[in-house]
Amino acid sequence: MPSKEAVIAALKDVYDPELGIDIQTLGFVREVKLDKRGAKLDLTMTLTSPMCPHGPAMVRELEERLKRLGLKSVRVELVFDPPWEPSAEVRRLLGL
């Protein structure tokens, strides 16, 4: 079964199509809970806004990538409180 490090690596392969940056670097991922056997994953994440048009597609892609790691169960919960704020690194990457 996958390690937490493998899960984090998979998160870095899922990109926000509008921003062109992976969801891990963007800080979308709030919490990763992998059970002790490595078979079940609960992930809490956010998006740039609740109205993000690419949100459902990113969640589907994320679930598919994580299941390819051998996870039997992947649950992604979207939260918007507190709202997403880009870090200094993300602001630099976006040229802000």
Side-chain angles (χ1 to χ4, degrees), residues 20-76:
I21 301 172
D22 69 89
I23 64 171
Q24 182 69 21
T25 300
L26 284 168
F28 285 0
V29 179
R30 300 255 170 105
E31 187 173 26
V32 176
K33 289 184 183 177
L34 187 61
D35 76 342
K36 291 182 183 184
R37 294 177 300 163
K40 180 181 175 188
L41 176 76
D42 289 323
L43 186 132
T44 304
M45 68 178 281
T46 193
L47 301 169
T48 53
S49 81
M51 302 304 291
C52 176
H54 300 288
M58 282 192 294
V59 169
R60 276 192 307 276
E61 179 183 355
L62 177 59
E63 290 170 337
E64 290 169 8
R65 283 183 181 276
L66 292 170
K67 285 182 179 177
R68 280 187 243 148
L69 294 176
L71 291 160
K72 297 196 185 320
S73 171
V74 174
R75 186 172 102 18
V76 176

